[in-house]
């Protein structure tokens, strides 16, 4: 894992409700690269909360008005993750997180054709859930 | 020949990423320091979906900025995302379609050249040559460290271009091929993360020996194998073995295996007719003690003089790459692309004007 500032966006951290029930929490993050790429070039996403790491099926990726599972992202070749533009990651965790301070991390790995390795890259911050 | 100075959008990447600067801010900043050529990574700063589909309103906006800031669109940087799908590599035809898409974007926005990534497969490069002619846009193959002007890889492109007879293809040297030393900012970052300074010192000395050796020898480098960018083609692989014996780990190995190399700037002369544009890559502008500035990492001043004397007619396009060495959370230094490009231009102007 590579630590890189500014990937995690500090606003937008909240619990998510659906039909009156809290189904999880959300964080916002930027692409950890120097240009935008098609979403299919996302290798993996990892969100952590107070040391617990969430990946794969418990994540949803929302960008430009569309929401995808991690598996669906692998075929999204015509929508770019615009450089610097936050995507919303929903972590499906019934009950969400308790109000208060949490140590949050957001990481993504990118499959870049000329790079030798694909490494989860992002950062942590202490954020407050209202 | 008059000096032409520009910069790439790459230089302000963190300012844009964190919302401190817009695309217009980058263009106006370049204008404010006397630059006249703007280079764009299209998927970096074209707003929203404009890389996929340029809107008429954005194109109007773009040309109004070019007028307002007296800016020439220079180079549009092409990427080759040949691993778009997980289960296969794009075919040559698909990679060509992608290149053609970039050429259409570049043409509509008035760029006269594109940067073609050095890792683009050779058969794609060959097939792309007629596209440059068709769109009237020069295809500049990037010579990126550790690739060399003196290599079988570069010869292949020279031969292809000569055989085709096209005037729309050549090279774009990235100044990382004139690296004098492992980068100051790279060593500083490694030390912050806990690297052993003695091992870094050893890497520094070994690098300098190889830079001297390679720039003075006519040894051709074999670089057509697919792993060439990561293989320590500059003779650093053996240094890595010694680094491991000295107790070094990933931090030190990463410094030893970075993408840097040193070509003799004089070799630019024989390539002059093929030099379309430059990526004047740099890392760390510092006062030079004489009232000006220098980057201790790159031999830019020598390169500028060689190119001036050789009759180079293109742009020096500043490409600041220091941001990436200052994003570790323990780094309290926040680089400013605006200051860096301003100092870089001052250095190039001075080198161009002096003997």
């Amino acid at each position: 894992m590579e630590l890189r500032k500014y990937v995690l966006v500090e606003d937008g951290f909240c619990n998510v409700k659906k039909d009156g029930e809290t189904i999880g929490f959300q964080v916002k993050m930027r692409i950890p690269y120097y240009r935008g790429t098609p979403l299919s070039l996302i290798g993996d996403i990892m969100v952590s909360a107070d040391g617990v790491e969430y990946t794969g099926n418990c994540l949803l990726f929302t960008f430009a008005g569309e929401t995808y599972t991690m598996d669906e992202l692998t075929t999204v070749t015509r929508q770019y993750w615009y450089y610097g533009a936050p995507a919303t990651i929903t972590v499906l965790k019934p009950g969400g997180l308790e109000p208060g301070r949490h140590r949050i991390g957001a990481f993504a790995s990118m499959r870049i054709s000329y790079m030798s390795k694909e490494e989860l890259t992002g950062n942590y911050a202490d954020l407050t859930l209202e | 020949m008059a000096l032409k100075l520009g910069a790439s959008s790459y230089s302000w990447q963190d300012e844009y990423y964190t919302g401190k600067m817009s695309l217009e801010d980058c263009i106006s900043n370049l204008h404010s320091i006397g630059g006249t050529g703007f280079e764009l990574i299209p998927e970096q700063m074209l707003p929203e979906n404009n890389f996929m589909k340029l809107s008429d309103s954005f194109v109007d906006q773009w040309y109004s900025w070019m007028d307002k800031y007296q800016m020439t669109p220079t180079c549009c940087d092409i990427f080759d995302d040949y691993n778009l799908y997980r289960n296969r590599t794009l075919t040559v035809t698909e990679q060509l379609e992608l290149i053609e898409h970039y050429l259409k974007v570049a043409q509509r926005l008035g760029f006269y050249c594109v940067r073609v990534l050095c890792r683009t497969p050779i058969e794609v490069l060959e097939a792309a040559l007629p596209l440059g002619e068709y769109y009237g846009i020069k295809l500049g193959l990037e010579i990126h460290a550790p690739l060399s002007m003196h290599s079988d890889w570069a010869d292949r492109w020279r031969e292809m271009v000569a055989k085709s007879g096209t005037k729309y293809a050549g090279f774009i040297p990235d100044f990382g091929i004139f690296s004098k030393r492992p980068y100051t900012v790279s060593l500083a970052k490694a030390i912050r993360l806990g690297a052993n300074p003695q091992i870094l010192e050893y890497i520094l000395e070994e690098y300098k020996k190889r830079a001297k050796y390679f720039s003075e020898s006519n040894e051709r480098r074999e670089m057509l194998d697919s792993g060439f960018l990561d293989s320590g083609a500059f003779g650093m692989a053996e240094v890595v073995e010694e680094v491991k014996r000295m107790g070094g780990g990933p931090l030190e190995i990463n410094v030893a295996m970075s993408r840097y190399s040193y070509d003799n700037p004089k070799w630019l002369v024989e390539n002059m007719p093929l030099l379309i544009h430059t990526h004047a890559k740099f890392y760390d502008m510092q006062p030079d003690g004489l009232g000006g500035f220098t980057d201790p990492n790159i031999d830019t001043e020598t390169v500028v003089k060689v190119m001036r004397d050789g009759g180079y007619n293109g742009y020096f396009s500043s490409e600041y790459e220091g941001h990436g060495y200052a994003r570790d959370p323990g780094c309290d230094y926040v680089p400013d692309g605006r200051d860096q490009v301003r100092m870089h231009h001052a250095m190039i102007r001075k080198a161009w004007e002096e003997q």
Side-chain angles (χ1 to χ4, degrees):
Chain A
M1 278 204 332
E2 188 187 339
L3 290 173
R4 171 175 169 148
K5 286 193 247 188
Y6 318 127
V7 172
L8 172 62
V9 178
E10 303 211 353
D11 53 16
F13 173 45
C14 60
N15 275 330
V16 194
K17 280 190 177 172
K18 191 179 177 188
D19 303 328
E21 296 217 6
T22 301
I23 58 164
F25 67 95
Q26 285 183 337
V27 297
K28 288 187 176 174
M29 69 181 294
R30 303 180 177 106
I31 188 170
Y33 185 40
Y34 64 80
R35 54 184 263 268
T37 73
L39 298 182
S40 67
L41 293 188
I42 295 171
D44 208 354
I45 302 268
M46 189 276 278
V47 172
S48 82
D50 306 316
V52 181
E53 297 185 350
Y54 302 91
T55 58
N57 289 337
C58 65
L59 302 182
L60 296 173
F61 185 97
T62 303
F63 192 75
E66 299 288 344
T67 295
Y68 312 91
T69 64
M70 293 306 294
D71 184 51
E72 286 167 348
L73 279 182
T74 63
T75 60
V76 185
T77 55
R78 296 183 60 78
Q79 174 64 57
Y80 276 66
W81 188 357
Y82 308 137
Y83 181 69
T88 301
I89 315 297
T90 303
V91 179
L92 299 172
K93 179 185 182 296
L97 295 173
E98 294 295 315
R101 291 292 266 182
H102 295 278
R103 184 72 174 161
I104 299 298
F107 293 78
S109 62
M110 303 302 300
R111 304 186 305 108
I112 304 305
S113 60
Y114 59 86
M115 303 284 266
S116 53
K117 60 181 176 182
E118 192 185 316
E119 188 173 20
L120 279 171
T121 302
N123 62 309
Y124 297 95
D126 292 318
L127 302 182
T128 302
L129 193 79
E130 300 293 335
Chain B
M1 218 67 80
L3 171 64
K4 295 181 193 166
L5 280 173
S8 164
S9 63
Y10 193 84
S11 298
W12 306 280
Q13 57 181 285
D14 278 13
E15 289 79 4
Y16 183 94
Y17 189 76
T18 56
K20 284 185 203 152
M21 288 174 81
S22 64
L23 172 57
E24 184 181 6
D25 291 337
C26 296
I27 297 166
S28 78
N29 177 252
L30 181 57
H31 170 69
S32 75
I33 59 170
T36 59
F38 190 75
E39 173 167 356
L40 179 70
I41 296 175
E43 321 89 313
Q44 185 180 53
M45 294 198 189
L46 289 181
E48 302 203 321
N49 201 37
N50 274 279
F51 174 66
M52 287 299 278
K53 194 175 182 344
L54 281 170
S55 69
D56 293 343
S57 63
F58 174 74
V59 174
D60 289 347
Q61 176 83 85
W62 170 261
Y63 281 106
S64 76
W65 290 334
M66 294 300 114
D67 278 349
K68 181 176 175 188
Y69 301 111
Q70 297 149 46
M71 200 58 71
T72 299
T74 56
C75 182
C76 179
D77 293 349
I78 287 187
F79 290 81
D80 186 5
D81 293 318
Y82 52 71
N83 54 348
L84 190 65
Y85 305 107
R86 285 187 183 227
N87 58 348
R88 65 178 183 88
T89 300
L90 294 187
T91 63
V92 171
T93 305
E94 288 168 329
Q95 290 182 60
L96 277 174
E97 283 168 0
L98 193 53
I99 288 179
E100 189 159 9
H101 176 71
Y102 281 95
L103 285 167
K104 286 177 180 169
V105 171
Q107 190 187 50
R108 187 130 188 249
L109 296 178
F111 289 93
Y112 59 79
C113 72
V114 289
R115 183 289 312 270
V116 182
L117 212 60
C118 60
R119 277 297 285 269
T120 308
I122 212 102
E123 59 272 26
V124 177
L125 290 176
E126 186 157 34
L129 280 170
L131 290 177
E133 289 265 344
Y134 181 80
Y135 288 96
I137 291 179
K138 293 185 177 185
L139 306 174
L141 181 62
E142 177 183 42
I143 311 176
H144 191 289
L147 293 174
S148 172
M149 290 184 274
H150 275 191
S151 62
D152 45 3
W153 169 81
D155 286 349
R156 276 278 279 278
W157 180 240
R158 276 188 208 97
E159 284 159 16
M160 263 184 216
V161 173
K163 197 174 144 208
S164 75
T166 185
K167 296 274 180 272
Y168 287 93
F171 285 120
I172 297 181
D174 179 293
F175 287 6
I177 65 170
F178 304 111
S179 293
K180 293 195 280 191
R181 48 163 294 154
Y183 306 132
T184 48
V185 287
S186 167
L187 299 189
K189 178 179 173 183
I191 287 171
R192 276 197 303 277
L193 297 178
N196 179 332
Q198 277 174 317
I199 299 179
L200 297 181
E201 190 65 26
Y202 165 75
I203 297 168
L204 177 70
E205 291 312 313
E206 290 298 318
Y207 178 86
K208 285 182 175 172
K209 278 185 214 164
R210 280 159 181 75
K212 185 165 163 43
Y213 171 77
F214 276 109
S215 67
E216 290 172 355
S217 99
N218 279 320
E219 191 178 316
R220 315 289 296 181
R221 286 192 270 152
E222 296 292 327
M223 291 179 161
L224 290 173
D225 61 306
S226 61
F228 58 74
L229 277 182
D230 311 307
S231 64
F234 201 58
M236 295 299 281
E238 61 205 64
V239 174
V240 169
E241 289 313 305
E242 184 57 26
V243 164
K244 286 180 189 163
R245 271 193 289 278
M246 293 170 82
L251 288 171
E252 292 87 358
I253 292 169
N254 184 42
V255 171
M257 292 295 278
S258 292
R259 287 172 181 170
Y260 43 36
S261 55
Y262 190 81
D263 267 16
N264 192 322
K266 287 181 186 146
W267 299 342
L268 287 163
V269 176
E270 69 218 45
N271 286 292
M272 205 55 70
L274 287 174
L275 299 186
I276 293 168
H277 184 68
T278 56
H279 275 181
K281 170 86 58 71
F282 69 105
Y283 291 90
D284 185 15
M285 297 309 298
Q286 298 179 2
D288 66 356
L290 302 163
F293 304 98
T294 192
D295 178 0
N297 300 298
I298 308 284
D299 202 0
T300 313
E301 293 96 325
T302 308
V303 171
V304 166
K305 289 175 177 147
V306 166
M307 292 182 78
R308 173 198 63 193
D309 295 346
Y312 174 65
N313 190 31
Y315 271 87
F316 290 97
S317 192
S318 298
E319 194 184 69
Y320 174 56
E321 193 164 65
H323 291 112
Y325 296 91
R327 296 188 189 118
D328 46 305
C331 179
D332 44 25
Y333 164 64
V334 179
D336 187 324
R338 290 162 287 201
D339 283 345
Q340 291 286 328
V341 173
R342 177 179 54 75
M343 290 187 276
H344 194 239
H345 278 190
M347 177 187 73
I348 294 176
R349 274 197 194 91
K350 191 174 166 197
W352 182 272
E353 283 156 14
E354 67 193 13
Q355 279 304 301

